[in-house]
């Protein structure tokens, strides 16, 4: 039953799964969503979902039309080591957002503020799956704290550049933004980040 | 005709002016709004608007129910000098946002992303009137650039704390957030901020 190849294009089943997945993620949030639940909603076998998308993570990327696989991105950002990771991270994210493929991400930025479910998706996905894993790949402690701080600076910059369209941020190049905000991100991944009292972590599914 | 005293409470004229001002600011944006135009919309004499609120800036604060006068706030933040201004700024803003009087500001944070006019108000008011003037009071160059960078970090933190409610940011104390993000704001007011190519500044009214 599953078609040959991993990108069967306009297959009915594939689109059917993605439609069910969007509703499932919106209803359950990223953490509580399961590949099995998505398959049940789409009325297909879980093996078919796994065949197309590999994992819950993969379904999410496809359902949200996120153009880059965070796993490969994190590898690319972390591979040269901790030196310069701040500038690399800012430059990379601005470049993604600026690209035509960045449109859904820029859209998510608006939705997140208006819509609790989008907020929950952003919270668990961005902070844990993206920046949290980057912190892990860099071998630093307290990945959730660092991930949140990095997300705060990048979301704030994106807000200025794409939503408020404030100059010079709207027209600055990715390199310029990296030179301004890169050291901030670098410090958030650094050894001298102050300790704060521990709080309940984000719930894990 | 103007009542005695500057806070006459439920005076019809005062509320009438604030209602007209909200529409006027929403339609014109902060920069293009004028005290004279607000008076005309409210069908009162400009002298009455000046009597109640002092200036366009004062009308704006009252219309938006902003609980602190930025002029006094900036004085308090800048008076001890540049050392420590980053931590003071973060601590002060978190404390304002957390207070019951901070509710309209937390509301504005959601509106800004969904609504172009709110975005225009935030853009001109926050970046120029608040952080831009703080940069001016500290005697640093490129106040608009620094103001924007400070705004980006504080907006991002506010997004995490109040909208996404991400831990540990949602439950952290103002002092803890100041210790984490204060050095970022400090650097944005510092001498070693990289130069970038000059762009068209925000239009002035």
């Amino acid at each position: 039953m599953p078609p040959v190849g991993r990108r069967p294009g306009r297959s009915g089943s594939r689109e059917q799964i993605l439609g069910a997945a969007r509703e499932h993620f919106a209803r359950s949030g990223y953490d509580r969503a399961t590949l099995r639940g998505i398959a049940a909603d789409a009325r297909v076998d879980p093996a078919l979902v796994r065949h197309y998308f590999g994992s819950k993570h993969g379904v999410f990327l496809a359902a949200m039309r996120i153009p880059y696989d965070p796993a490969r991105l994190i590898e690319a950002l972390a591979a040269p080591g901790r030196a310069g990771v701040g500038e690399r991270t800012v430059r990379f994210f601005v470049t993604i957002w600026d690209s035509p493929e960045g449109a859904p991400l820029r859209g998510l930025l608006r939705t997140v503020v208006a819509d609790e479910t989008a907020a929950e998706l952003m919270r668990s996905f961005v902070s844990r799956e993206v920046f949290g894993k980057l912190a892990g790949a860099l071998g630093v402690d307290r990945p959730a704290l660092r991930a949140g701080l990095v997300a705060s600076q990048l979301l704030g910059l994106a807000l200025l550049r794409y939503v408020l369209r404030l100059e010079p941020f709207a027209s600055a190049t990715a390199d310029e933004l990296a030179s301004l905000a890169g050291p901030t991100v670098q410090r958030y991944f650094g050894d001298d980040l102050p300790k704060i009292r521990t709080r309940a972590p984000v719930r894990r599914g």
Side-chain angles (χ1 to χ4, degrees), chain A:
Chain A
M1 215 208 302
V4 179
R6 286 183 66 94
R7 289 177 179 274
R10 302 181 164 276
S11 148
S13 304
R14 194 175 185 275
E15 284 308 311
Q16 183 185 331
I17 294 167
L18 289 180
R22 274 178 215 111
E23 285 177 29
H24 190 92
F25 281 120
R27 199 174 58 240
S28 311
Y30 183 81
D31 280 352
R32 287 185 299 283
T34 62
L35 194 143
R36 200 160 273 284
I38 291 165
D41 286 1
R43 302 180 183 205
V44 300
D45 193 278
L48 184 62
V49 180
R50 211 177 300 277
H51 167 78
Y52 280 129
F53 306 105
S55 62
K56 173 173 93 170
H57 177 87
V59 184
F60 182 80
L61 294 183
M64 295 292 155
R65 304 187 208 284
I66 291 176
Y68 295 80
D69 179 350
R72 270 183 289 169
L73 152 64
I74 287 156
E75 207 179 283
L77 291 174
R82 262 209 267 174
V85 71
E87 290 210 8
R88 286 198 299 279
T89 302
V90 177
R91 191 182 305 113
F92 194 91
F93 272 84
V94 173
T95 307
I96 288 182
W97 282 328
D98 281 356
S99 72
E101 293 77 29
L105 291 176
R106 298 193 299 271
L108 191 61
L109 190 69
R110 285 171 183 268
T111 324
V112 128
V113 178
D115 172 348
E116 283 299 324
T117 342
E120 158 66 23
L121 289 179
M122 182 71 113
R123 184 167 44 216
S124 49
F125 183 77
V126 171
S127 70
R128 270 229 319 287
E129 296 291 319
V130 183
F131 301 124
K133 289 203 169 152
L134 178 53
L138 293 169
V140 290
D141 64 354
R142 299 172 290 160
L145 176 66
R146 295 170 188 279
L149 287 168
V150 173
S152 78
Q153 178 59 87
L154 288 176
L155 287 175
L157 262 194
L159 214 62
L160 255 54
R161 183 176 178 87
Y162 304 107
V163 181
L164 303 185
R165 295 179 206 282
L166 185 73
E167 291 300 353
F169 306 94
S171 315
T173 64
D175 280 343
E176 287 175 330
L177 293 176
S179 77
L180 293 168
T184 296
V185 174
Q186 188 73 33
R187 178 175 161 272
Y188 292 154
F189 283 130
D191 289 324
D192 57 349
L193 197 71
K195 298 263 184 285
I196 70 167
R197 194 164 64 80
T198 312
R199 263 124 191 141
V202 174
R203 181 183 40 223
R204 279 158 196 278

